[in-house]
Amino acid sequence: MKISEIYQKKDLTLSFEVFPPKGDLGADVLRDVLAELSGLGPDFISVTYSAGGGGNSQKTVELAGLIGEYGTSSIAHLTCINSRREEIGAVVEAMKRRGIENILALRGDRVEGKEPTDFFHATELIAELRGQGFCIGAACYPEGHIENDSPEDDLTHLLEKEAAGAEFFVSQLFFENGKFYRFLERARSRGLRGPVTAGVMPILSKAQISRMIFMCGASLPSEIIRLLNRHENDPEALRQAGIAYAAEQAADLAKNGVDGVHIYTMNQPDIARAVVERLRADGYVGV
Ligand code: FAD
């Protein structure tokens, strides 16, 4: 189903992100993960794409197609900065053959030593995809994109993505809901119309969180820093506290009427389950 139709029907969408396994997760285990995630009743599951393009693209297409077999709608991510127009064309044809209806159109991060040639920003990919029958989504950044020091300029480029054909938006992770609410207020006042889903990623370890904040620039509230300190020598307690924090974050987002909550599951169904159970307890998603 097209994601735009789902947003029209629901006050709050619930969605998950998964990534194509890097070889150590066998087909049976992957099917178990998808069965568990689909069993939680998400409105859609999105599948990441390696910005290097080439090698990984087939896995994204396959996994997004497989999700459909579990009766769940899927979104295939697609990045463009390291690809030629013909390469993108070939992946898009493969997506059409596999019945994929939704694409999250991204620029991706640069691969060292590879100069962009045909695509420099996500907007150009969105324009390329427009009119090919897909429902197109794009990324947004509640704390601004890490390469852009001007939040207003960043918003201008977000509006360009909508004008180019993006019909919905999925946000970068953040840990302070207030930042998301203020971003949404500014985006709406600048004229953004499409639904914006909030991306929530639980803290699972100190190493994971340092990598993430270095990559995306999300700020850490003192509450999270305290959790990191308190559970410094107990990785499992930190993981559980991180998941509980994410579940609370999701419940607050739902309470404040966001269009959707998107859980970065990291292929770990217990993360998604904890958030869903929290949302169910408050009556935000069906039992
Ligand atoms: P853009 O929208 O092109 O923006 C990139 C930067 O360029 C911003 O600073 C923007 O302000 C600026 N900009 C945009 N247009 C212009 C213009 N015309 N002139 C000047 N500046 C401009 N990466 C992956 O590799 N694979 C994935 O599967 C993946 N999934 C993601 C999912 C989500 C929900 C999010 C939020 C990010 C994801 N990423 C993924 C990361 C993403 O590829 C990076 O954040 C990347 O650096 C930017 O991608 P974008 O599509 O937002 O780029």
Side-chain angles (χ1 to χ4, degrees), residues 48-49 51 77 106-109 121-122 141 145 148 154 157 161:
T48 65
Y49 187 91
H77 295 199
L106 301 146
R107 186 198 72 174
D109 289 322
H121 303 290
Y141 301 84
H145 184 256
N148 199 331
D154 207 38
H157 297 313
K161 294 201 256 196

Side-chain angles (χ1 to χ4, degrees), residues 95-260:
M95 287 180 177
K96 286 181 189 167
R97 282 197 299 275
R98 197 66 175 92
I100 290 163
E101 294 179 280
N102 307 290
I103 297 181
L104 193 72
L106 301 146
R107 186 198 72 174
D109 289 322
R110 279 189 185 202
V111 169
E112 236 182 78
K114 221 172 177 180
E115 279 308 307
T117 51
D118 296 350
F119 299 94
F120 294 83
H121 303 290
T123 315
E124 292 145 21
L125 177 61
I126 294 165
E128 182 83 7
L129 294 171
R130 193 175 191 167
Q132 296 205 51
F134 297 103
C135 174
I136 307 166
C140 64
Y141 301 84
E143 298 187 63
H145 184 256
I146 193 153
E147 290 168 26
N148 199 331
D149 292 336
S150 157
E152 284 311 311
D153 193 34
D154 207 38
L155 264 184
T156 301
H157 297 313
L158 182 61
L159 291 165
E160 286 165 4
K161 294 201 256 196
E162 184 162 63
E167 294 171 72
F168 65 94
F169 302 91
V170 182
S171 93
Q172 183 58 282
L173 64 96
F174 56 89
F175 299 107
E176 273 181 77
N177 288 358
K179 292 198 188 290
F180 182 80
Y181 303 140
R182 285 190 290 280
F183 157 77
L184 208 53
E185 234 176 74
R186 288 193 298 115
R188 296 291 182 222
S189 75
R190 290 274 310 266
L192 192 80
R193 297 183 314 275
V196 182
T197 276
V200 174
M201 178 181 278
I203 287 172
L204 299 182
S205 72
K206 215 168 182 173
Q208 168 238 9
I209 218 59
S210 346
R211 203 170 48 245
M212 288 316 299
I213 57 173
F214 183 74
M215 275 169 65
C216 75
S219 47
L220 279 187
S222 57
E223 206 177 333
I224 297 265
I225 295 168
R226 275 197 214 104
L227 283 186
L228 290 169
N229 269 329
R230 192 176 314 143
H231 302 299
E232 196 169 10
N233 301 314
D234 188 345
E236 185 50 29
L238 176 60
R239 186 175 186 279
Q240 291 309 325
I243 294 174
Y245 184 95
E248 283 310 311
Q249 228 191 317
D252 181 75
L253 288 160
K255 189 172 122 200
N256 281 279
V258 298
D259 297 315

Side-chain angles (χ1 to χ4, degrees), residues 14-32:
L14 172 69
S15 52
F16 304 146
E17 180 189 276
V18 295
F19 58 81
K22 292 202 177 70
D24 54 342
L25 192 61
D28 287 351
V29 180
L30 182 62
R31 281 188 175 270
D32 287 349

